Amino acid sequence: MTQTYIFSAAAFIAGFVIAWIVRTIAMAKLQKSLKSTQGYLESALLKKETLQKENVHVHQLKQAAEMECEKKLEQANKLNKILDEDILLLQKSNEETEALLRQGQPALHALKLQLLDAHNTIARYKAQQQVGKKV
């Protein structure tokens, strides 16, 4: 009977040792898996932070580009307004001139014709001088 107790105790101890080894191996695999998962999680968090920083940078660039476009648009609108005002002034001047001529002020009309003739004469003299210099 003592042999039975010894064999039973040895079997119990051997089973305990085998169970301890199996549990230790399972725990080692579980810890390895846990470290791998933590590394993946940290990598994902770093990627997320990097993407957020890049997103903020892109958003800032977009806002800067929009502000620049708005400034250019304002300048273009101001220039258009100035050009429109100049066109209106020229049209008003032309209308006033035509009205004066229609009212029967031939002296003014004659002066304008003389002015045009003088400009043409000046242009002819300048052209003759340039031709004379070349010869």
Side-chain angles (χ1 to χ4, degrees):
M1 222 193 238
T2 55
Q3 282 186 337
T4 309
Y5 289 130
I6 292 174
F7 283 126
S8 296
F12 178 76
I13 292 172
F16 184 77
V17 169
I18 292 172
W20 186 267
I21 292 171
V22 169
R23 185 198 66 84
T24 304
I25 292 172
M27 288 294 289
K29 286 182 180 179
L30 187 64
Q31 284 182 347
K32 183 178 178 183
S33 176
L34 178 64
K35 284 184 181 181
S36 174
T37 304
Q38 285 176 342
Y40 177 75
L41 179 62
E42 287 179 22
S43 173
L45 288 174
L46 288 174
K47 286 181 183 178
K48 181 180 176 183
E49 289 176 4
T50 303
L51 289 175
Q52 285 177 342
K53 288 177 184 178
E54 288 176 358
N55 193 17
V56 167
H57 181 67
V58 168
H59 183 67
Q60 289 173 347
L61 289 175
K62 178 187 169 209
Q63 285 181 336
E66 284 178 355
M67 289 177 64
E68 184 178 334
C69 288
E70 287 176 4
K71 287 179 183 178
K72 287 182 179 180
L73 181 63
E74 286 178 18
Q75 290 174 349
N77 285 336
K78 287 178 182 179
L79 181 62
N80 281 341
K81 185 177 178 181
I82 291 170
L83 291 175
D84 287 344
E85 290 173 358
D86 290 346
I87 289 171
L88 289 175
L89 288 174
L90 285 173
Q91 286 176 344
K92 183 178 177 183
S93 174
N94 287 340
E95 289 172 1
E96 288 174 356
T97 303
E98 287 179 23
L100 288 175
L101 291 175
R102 276 189 228 134
Q103 289 177 359
Q105 293 185 359
L108 181 61
H109 184 59
L111 284 175
K112 285 195 176 206
L113 289 177
Q114 287 176 359
L115 181 62
L116 286 172
D117 188 36
H119 283 296
N120 289 338
T121 305
I122 291 170
R124 276 190 298 254
Y125 285 141
K126 284 183 179 179
Q128 286 175 357
Q129 285 179 352
Q130 288 178 353
V131 169
K133 287 180 182 178
K134 287 182 182 178
V135 174

